[in-house]
Each structure stands twice: as C-alpha cells, then as structure tokens.
Amino acid sequence: MLHLRMIVPADRTEAVVGLIGSTVGTTHVVVLPGAARDPVGDVVMCDVAREAGDELLHELRELKLDRVGSIAVENIDLSMSERADRAEEDAPGEGADAVIWEQLAEATHEESTLSFTYLSFMLLATMIAACGVVLDNAILIVGAMAVGPEFGPLAGVCTAIVQRAPRLAVRSLVALLIGFVAAIAATTLFSLLMDWLDLFSESMLDGERPQTGFIWQPDPFSLVVALLAGAAGTLSLTSSKSGALVGVAISVTTVPAAANAAVALSYGEVGQTWGSIEQLLLNLAAIIVSGTVTLALQQKLWRTQRGKLKRRLRRG
C-alpha cells in the first residue's frame, strides 16, 4: 500500500476528504486541522491500495493540491490492518501491476539528470570494464555492468516517449550522450596510462578472449537479450520488484562495449572500436524500443483499470 500525507488549505479539506472517501481502496484517513505551518493549512493523511493510488493522485492534482498545498507519497512495507486488507481487495487489479506514473516520472527525472555522481559512476564502471576486457575477466565485466548507471537515462527516454515529455527526453539523451562520450574519452586515457605502466598491452587486447570477445562482436543474441532486458528493467521500475533491476544491469553489454571501444581506440584498433560502438548502439536502441513498448502496454492496462474504478465509483 501507499501512504499519502497532504497539506491542504482549510477551504479545500472537505473536498479532499470527500475525494478520499469516495475512492475505492482507501483507508486510515486522518485529519489534523491547522497542523501545517508552511504552507498554512490542515494535514490530511490516508493509506491507499497501490492499484488505486494513481487515480487518487490524478484527482488530487485536478484539485490543484500540488500547487496550493503538497502531496507526499511513501511506500508502506508492512501494514497490519484488516481495513488495509479489505481496501486492497476492493481496489481493482493487482498491486504488482499498478504503475504510479507520478512516481515513475519523479524517479526517471532524478536518475536521468547529468550530475557529478552519474558521471563518476559511468567513468568508474567503464574503467573497471576496461580492466575486465584486457584481462578477459568475466567477473570484472559483471561488476562493471552492475556499477553502470546508464539504465536511468534509458528509462527516462522510454517514459518521455510514452508520456510525451520532450524535456525529459532531451535531458535523458544528453545524459546518455555526454556520459558515454566522457566515459570513452576518460577510459582511453586510462588505457594509455595503464599501457605506460606496463599493465595493459596490445597483445592482451588482440589475443584470444573467450570470456569477453563477444563484447565487440554484435550478433542476433545481443539484440534478443537487450530487448528482453529492456522490458524487464522497465517492469522493475514500475512495480515493487525493483530488485530485478540489478539482474538487468548485468545482462546487457553497454558499459563493457564502451570500455572495449576505448581500449581499442587507444591502440588504434579500428575494427574493434567500430564493432564495440555497434554493440553499444544496438543495445541502447533495443532497450529503448522494448522499454517504450512495455510502458505503453502498462499505460493501456492502467487506463483500463482506471475505467473500471470509475465505473465502480458510479455504481457506489
């Protein structure tokens, strides 16, 4: 379930409480008159089943509560209440299938912002992957995949396409482009430094690499895996199964492909550089396509559930 905490102007409290009471799947309503100081108003709290949460948030924004007051939403990890159980039973659909679009937009906005932390993780992940490429070490490659932060901007692009949010799309694409360009440039310099220290060598890159050779040789399986990973990653962001995102992160060769391109570039290996870039672009495109399709299907399902909820309210 979700917990909502709202600051409501006194003249709108009755309307907000009435809306909560008429929404299927809500319970535990609390009103604290005059408790809020900034902005001044009443504090209204309630719990709502996740599958009814997006509809309630939509109606609260129709009341312009996000402008004249505030709406805070928290996930409830544990709720021991028969009323809460009944609220979840009354709400149409399953909580695991529900998409809180406002929450998704906020999450993708934060994860797709070009920041020092984002760039730091991107550079570090690519350098780790470079070590894995040269040493033909699959463990380092997996570690680099897990560290890479690129799925945030990818999810931002998918969300922007479905929600028709051009600003989010531009922000996400800028983060992706600058992130990978900076990572490849920095890792190229890192490779040259490691070569100067006699830790990297061209023979190590050109030698047999049974564990990591696939990184710069895209094939149909690369496309299939990227499509599946994009769908799985999107589902992990929109549902309560966020732990699955780690599995997605270590299944697609985006950061390793960038690392291989950088190391190959430092040695003038044009063939490997272009092969790695092709692998990178293929994976990025496949993730965006499958993620967008997954979100579009979820949006269609959400609209169907929303229609059921409205019909239930009219019958009630």
Side-chain angles (χ1 to χ4, degrees):
M1 295 194 73
L2 301 174
H3 177 70
L4 273 61
R5 184 183 71 254
M6 295 156 280
I7 297 179
V8 185
D11 60 341
R12 304 196 186 193
T13 300
E14 185 176 348
V16 169
V17 173
L19 175 61
I20 294 172
S22 64
T23 301
V24 175
T26 58
T27 187
H28 304 154
V29 183
V30 177
V31 180
L32 303 175
R37 294 293 180 267
D38 185 19
V40 175
D42 303 332
V43 174
V44 179
M45 295 180 285
C46 72
D47 295 341
V48 59
R50 183 179 176 87
E51 50 268 46
D54 194 75
E55 173 63 19
L56 179 57
L57 289 173
H58 175 77
E59 295 296 336
L60 289 171
R61 293 196 67 182
E62 287 291 313
L63 294 175
K64 295 181 171 43
L65 189 57
D66 56 323
R67 298 182 183 178
V68 299
S70 75
I71 308 170
V73 183
E74 300 173 346
N75 287 310
I76 299 177
D77 295 327
L78 175 63
S79 179
M80 295 186 292
S81 166
E82 291 185 0
R83 287 180 176 273
D85 293 339
R86 286 198 298 271
E88 289 185 320
E89 291 174 0
D90 291 340
E94 296 293 333
D97 296 332
V99 180
I100 310 300
W101 292 98
E102 296 294 338
Q103 190 178 55
L104 177 63
E106 182 68 23
T108 51
H109 177 277
E110 180 180 349
E111 293 294 329
S112 62
T113 300
L114 185 63
S115 63
F116 174 79
T117 300
Y118 169 81
L119 282 176
S120 297
F121 273 115
M122 183 67 81
L123 267 60
L124 291 171
T126 310
M127 290 178 186
I128 293 171
C131 295
V133 164
V134 173
L135 297 174
D136 193 35
N137 189 313
I139 295 176
L140 291 177
I141 295 297
V142 170
M145 289 176 174
V147 173
E150 74 279 8
F151 194 82
L154 287 169
V157 174
C158 299
T159 303
I161 294 173
V162 174
Q163 295 289 83
R164 298 178 182 178
R167 290 185 179 180
L168 177 58
V170 171
R171 182 188 302 111
S172 301
L173 290 172
V174 167
L176 274 176
L177 177 62
I178 294 180
F180 275 111
V181 169
I184 291 174
T187 304
T188 300
L189 296 177
F190 172 75
S191 177
L192 291 171
L193 174 63
M194 294 292 280
D195 180 77
W196 181 73
L197 295 172
D198 289 330
L199 296 175
F200 283 7
S201 69
E202 188 173 359
S203 61
M204 298 170 72
L205 181 69
D206 292 335
E208 290 293 326
R209 290 190 287 145
Q211 299 294 322
T212 60
F214 70 94
I215 291 173
W216 65 278
Q217 297 172 323
D219 57 27
F221 281 106
S222 301
L223 176 62
V224 171
V225 172
L227 289 170
L228 295 175
T234 302
L235 286 172
S236 74
L237 286 177
T238 58
S239 70
S240 57
K241 309 297 183 183
S242 58
L245 192 56
V246 176
V248 173
I250 62 175
S251 63
V252 185
T253 55
T254 50
V255 166
N260 199 90
V263 176
L265 183 63
S266 71
Y267 289 114
E269 294 281 350
V270 178
Q272 283 205 39
T273 299
W274 282 114
S276 301
I277 291 176
E278 288 176 5
Q279 179 80 277
L280 174 62
L281 295 177
L282 174 67
N283 287 328
L284 293 178
I287 290 173
I288 290 174
V289 169
S290 63
T292 301
V293 171
T294 301
L295 270 182
L297 291 174
Q298 287 183 292
Q299 186 181 60
K300 184 176 181 180
L301 176 63
W302 167 74
R303 287 174 176 171
T304 301
Q305 296 294 347
R306 184 175 171 185
K308 290 181 180 179
L309 182 58
K310 286 186 174 180
R311 288 194 294 272
R312 183 176 295 185
L313 287 175
R314 285 197 292 268
R315 287 199 299 270

